[in-house]
Amino acid sequence: MNIGFIGLGTMGEPMATRLVQAGLTLTVFDLNSDAVNRLAALGAHRAESAADVASKAEIVFVSLPTPEIVQKVALGEKGVIEGSKVRIYIDLSTTGPRVAKLVASQLAEQKIVALDCPVSGGAAGAAKGTLALMVSGPSTAFDEIAHSLRILGKAIYCGEGAGLGQTMKLVNNLVSVTALAVSSEALVMGVKAGLAPKVMLDVFNAGSGRNSATVDKLPRAVLPRTFDFGFSTALSLKDTRLCLDEAEAMGIPMPVGSAVRQMLNMTRAAYGDSADFTRMVCVLEQWAGIEVPLVSEI
Ligand code: NAD
């Protein structure tokens, strides 16, 4: 069976690479011809547009940066919706439930089944095949693509409803970035008071303060002062904004999430869109008038 893959960026390229290397027949498209060339060198076929991919492949994955681009690639001119062969469309991007529902309902009119499948685990997880995949949509379509998903990581089925996988992804990322923000505040305060950063992480991780920032993000990207965890401030801000907009539309105030959104806005203002989101520690350092000392051996 021919599989299509549109969007060969930080996440899409390693995922598409794994699918090709597992022996699947892949047809790919991206606006970036260098990424397409790298996949073609591994044996993937090239396509001229998203519609061209969807006229060659029955199953089409997309991994695209923003909800607006997902909507355009799925439903716009030369989009997936114009493909003659596609039966199942799988969105690996973080798109949010509203666009996911819109895309699913319009594709259904062309008898194309849509599955939400946002991922967690970063570029490293994409390369290793250890992503968490949050899938929702018709379970028969999920069963049909389960083999391909196993090549990418662990798929967790979140329900039949369009957008449920996307909602799961947004709340997961809200928890993750909130843990980073509050752990960064705690780290900066502790250092200013005289605690060693390594001692602080040892205590957090042996105690009740343990979380994904203390276990992974701070030791890997902040204490060595590399700020290269691999997730940009712009993408984290996009996810947080999507989550808060959705909560607001549902009538649910999220005061903690709103504060974290402002931390990301301040990090972006100081360091730019492409700065790693672990840079938020540096914003706090400026307020505190200290710098967390470099720890190279953890
Ligand atoms: P990226 O910007 O690195 O890659 C996006 C790719 O899409 C690029 O190669 C770009 O050329 C291509 N593209 C853009 N518009 C296109 C179009 N109209 N037609 C074809 N190709 C087009 O983004 P990424 O980091 O790979 O993220 C992809 C998605 O995965 C996003 O929704 C992101 O939120 C989500 N995500 C990212 C991470 C991460 O760590 N980077 C982790 C989990 C989820």
Side-chain angles (χ1 to χ4, degrees), residues 239-256:
D239 293 355
T240 308
R241 173 180 56 80
L242 281 171
C243 186
L244 295 177
D245 287 354
E246 202 57 37
E248 193 169 304
M250 294 168 75
I252 306 167
M254 281 196 169
V256 175

Side-chain angles (χ1 to χ4, degrees), residues 173-183 185 233 236-237 239-241 244 254-268 277 280 287:
N173 278 28
L174 183 71
V175 170
S176 162
V177 70
T178 302
L180 174 64
V182 78
S183 302
E185 285 184 353
T233 303
S236 183
L237 193 52
D239 293 355
T240 308
R241 173 180 56 80
L244 295 177
M254 281 196 169
V256 175
S258 302
V260 173
R261 180 180 183 169
Q262 290 311 323
M263 272 310 302
L264 286 165
N265 270 323
M266 287 181 264
T267 308
R268 182 172 67 164
F277 75 155
M280 74 171 60
W287 295 341

Side-chain angles (χ1 to χ4, degrees), residues 26-167:
L26 214 67
T27 300
V28 299
F29 175 66
D30 193 295
L31 300 177
N32 174 2
S33 54
D34 290 344
V36 173
N37 289 341
R38 285 193 291 274
L39 259 295
L42 297 173
H45 304 286
R46 298 164 198 273
E48 299 304 318
S49 65
D52 190 25
V53 172
S55 292
K56 289 177 171 146
E58 288 174 47
I59 293 173
V60 174
F61 288 91
V62 303
S63 176
L64 295 160
T66 65
E68 296 76 21
I69 292 175
V70 168
Q71 187 173 335
K72 185 166 143 242
V73 168
L75 306 177
E77 199 182 328
K78 294 194 178 171
V80 172
I81 197 162
E82 293 182 4
S84 56
K85 201 164 179 186
V86 56
R87 290 186 299 108
I88 303 178
Y89 157 94
I90 305 132
D91 182 10
L92 300 158
S93 334
T94 305
T95 302
R98 268 184 278 179
V99 168
K101 284 181 200 166
L102 175 80
V103 168
S105 73
Q106 294 203 17
L107 291 182
E109 290 172 15
Q110 301 301 319
K111 308 243 178 310
I112 303 166
V113 174
L115 290 173
D116 288 359
C117 189
V119 305
S120 178
K128 283 188 272 177
T130 56
L131 293 171
L133 302 117
M134 294 153 252
V135 189
S136 70
S139 57
T140 45
F142 173 53
D143 292 342
E144 204 177 321
I145 62 150
H147 167 71
S148 306
L149 296 186
R150 271 196 293 276
I151 297 166
L152 305 178
K154 182 175 181 195
I156 299 164
Y157 186 62
C158 301
E160 291 272 335
L164 283 177
Q166 290 291 342
T167 300

